[in-house]
Amino acid sequence: MSTPIDRDVVIADTVHWMEKAVIGLNLCPFAKAVHVKKQVRYVVSEAETPEELLEKLMEELQHLADADPDQIDTTLLIHPNVLTDFFDYNEFLDVADAALEDLGLDGFLQVASFHPDYQFADTDKNDIGNYTNRSPYPTLHLLREESIDRAVEAFPDAADIFEKNIDKLEQLGHDGWDKLMEKP
């Protein structure tokens, strides 16, 4: 049996990460606008198996597809009790992509990935660059393709974001990251 989830704490931790790291370090220049407009849907899943998570993912993909983009532009599906091992989580991303196709939403929505132990291919586990995608809990980020397209148009150097993020984190270092993520 997994640890009981305190949804308020999970959401508060995730919002803290969003405000301090994602928005505060400008890791994603598109995040601030949807955060300020309260267009981010935070969903905490109590799933304990990949199958239960897949069911919730499909439900949330359809919910986002059906929602008014002015009300819900993006969804963070946070799942603290399943896929806590990064390599299991990483394998599940293929399942998430297949779910998009099964729902006929491929090309309309996409799934981005965040995890407490995120690790890019060919990097050391402790490489500070991995922290660009490290969230407090395993999280599937459901995004609208048209929102991404608009954001890329608004930020002509969007292709450089990844490299700039790595540079920021290398300057910040592990101690700086830990200090940034401290809760008041």
Side-chain angles (χ1 to χ4, degrees):
M1 181 87 178
S2 296
T3 308
I5 297 173
D6 183 331
R7 291 174 184 277
D8 293 338
V9 169
V10 170
I11 291 172
D13 289 348
T14 302
V15 169
H16 177 79
W17 164 72
M18 282 275 297
E19 291 175 346
K20 293 294 184 178
V22 178
I23 295 169
L25 293 176
N26 201 29
L27 296 179
C28 177
F30 324 128
K32 185 175 182 179
V34 294
H35 177 70
V36 168
K37 293 185 214 171
K38 300 195 182 313
Q39 295 171 313
V40 180
R41 176 176 162 89
Y42 295 90
V43 176
V44 180
S45 171
E46 295 191 17
E48 295 189 11
T49 67
E51 295 78 16
E52 290 172 345
L53 181 60
L54 175 59
E55 189 177 311
K56 186 64 175 173
L57 172 63
M58 293 181 81
E59 180 184 307
E60 287 303 322
L61 285 167
Q62 195 61 60
H63 187 276
L64 182 60
D66 294 342
D68 177 348
D70 291 332
Q71 298 297 312
I72 303 170
D73 188 72
T74 191
T75 300
L76 291 175
L77 176 55
I78 312 156
H79 45 97
N81 287 339
V82 66
L83 302 176
T84 55
D85 176 86
F86 176 70
F87 297 102
D88 293 340
Y89 171 87
N90 202 41
E91 285 183 21
F92 184 83
L93 296 176
D94 290 334
V95 173
D97 287 339
L100 279 169
E101 288 180 30
D102 290 349
L103 292 169
L105 296 173
D106 191 36
F108 180 67
L109 299 179
Q110 68 175 248
V111 179
S113 55
F114 298 95
H115 193 279
D117 297 319
Y118 197 94
Q119 183 177 351
F120 290 106
D122 302 321
T123 64
D124 182 77
K125 176 179 144 175
N126 294 315
D127 187 318
I128 191 70
N130 293 321
Y131 286 65
T132 61
N133 286 54
R134 288 204 176 168
S135 55
Y137 306 96
T139 301
L140 297 168
H141 184 191
L142 318 183
L143 301 123
R144 298 173 187 274
E145 292 273 351
E146 71 178 22
S147 296
I148 295 166
D149 293 343
R150 274 195 318 273
V152 169
E153 282 178 27
F155 294 89
D157 64 344
D160 299 332
I161 291 171
F162 179 74
E163 293 301 323
K164 288 179 180 177
N165 287 348
I166 299 296
D167 290 344
K168 279 180 201 168
L169 288 174
E170 285 175 351
Q171 290 172 16
L172 188 65
H174 290 281
D175 289 341
W177 176 267
D178 292 345
K179 187 171 171 63
L180 178 74
M181 295 312 298
E182 286 177 0
K183 293 179 190 149

